[in-house]
Amino acid sequence: MGPGSPSAAERCVFCDIAAHRSPAFVVFEDDQTIAFLDIFPFTRGHLLVIPKMHGARLTDLPFDHQTALVRTLDVMCHRAERLAPDYNLALNAGRNAGQIVFHVHFHIIPRYGEANPFRATSREPLGDDDAQALVRALSAG
Ligand code: AMP
Ligand code: ZN
């Protein structure tokens, strides 16, 4: 385990995705960051952008990892605009703010004019066929 890794007892699902130990629909990757589709999207194309280094929240990361994350956010916000010009960008820090996965991540949530997608009932699991279409739409090129 590298610096910033959680202990073995606190296995982290996003560290597993960053290390390719767990599957994900990845649309971008560089040395310090990775972006993939949320498996329980609020809207079509809901993306997560994470640092490869483990940290529960943004302020746990060294500054160069924070800036790498923002650089990737810039790339991914531009690509999200391939789906819709509008989107929400969100970061939940702490349980009271709705954080469920304690490895820092930004959400990019495309908006298509729906009233309020931020309800548990509006979330359907990501389907494989659409995920593959989205990976094609959101990958480089
Ligand atoms: P948060 O409430 O900000 O911690 O959001 C965590 C997000 O991670 C939720 O939107 C989940 O649907 C998403 N999520 C959890 N596990 C995975 C996974 N294995 N692959 C992709 N997205 C995930
Ligand atoms: Zn982690």
Side-chain angles (χ1 to χ4, degrees):
M1 289 215 188
S5 301
S7 73
E10 313 159 357
R11 182 129 184 226
C12 171
V13 59
F14 286 1
C15 282
D16 285 348
I17 288 173
H20 299 277
R21 287 189 296 266
S22 289
F25 291 100
V26 173
V27 293
F28 177 91
E29 179 170 12
D30 65 12
D31 285 354
Q32 294 184 97
T33 67
I34 188 165
F36 51 93
L37 297 173
D38 194 298
I39 40 158
F40 214 53
F42 278 115
T43 65
R44 183 169 188 266
H46 180 170
L47 288 164
L48 300 174
V49 182
I50 73 167
K52 289 186 172 176
M53 174 181 271
H54 181 83
R57 52 177 70 199
L58 195 62
T59 47
D60 292 332
L61 294 178
F63 195 65
D64 63 310
H65 288 258
Q66 295 188 26
T67 53
L69 190 57
V70 171
R71 249 193 332 264
T72 299
L73 265 183
D74 176 60
V75 173
M76 292 315 308
C77 286
H78 277 104
R79 291 196 196 166
E81 289 169 0
R82 296 173 185 173
L83 301 176
D86 299 348
Y87 54 85
N88 293 105
L89 183 61
L91 180 148
N92 301 326
R95 214 173 292 278
N96 292 331
Q99 188 173 12
I100 291 166
V101 176
F102 289 87
H103 178 131
V104 63
H105 53 278
F106 279 96
H107 298 255
I108 303 174
I109 303 169
R111 297 300 301 273
Y112 303 92
E114 61 288 280
N116 174 13
F118 301 114
R119 287 168 286 119
T121 50
S122 47
R123 303 180 88 170
E124 298 277 338
L126 178 64
D128 268 16
D129 287 351
D130 197 35
Q132 271 148 27
L134 285 164
V135 169
R136 284 193 296 277
L138 294 168
S139 295

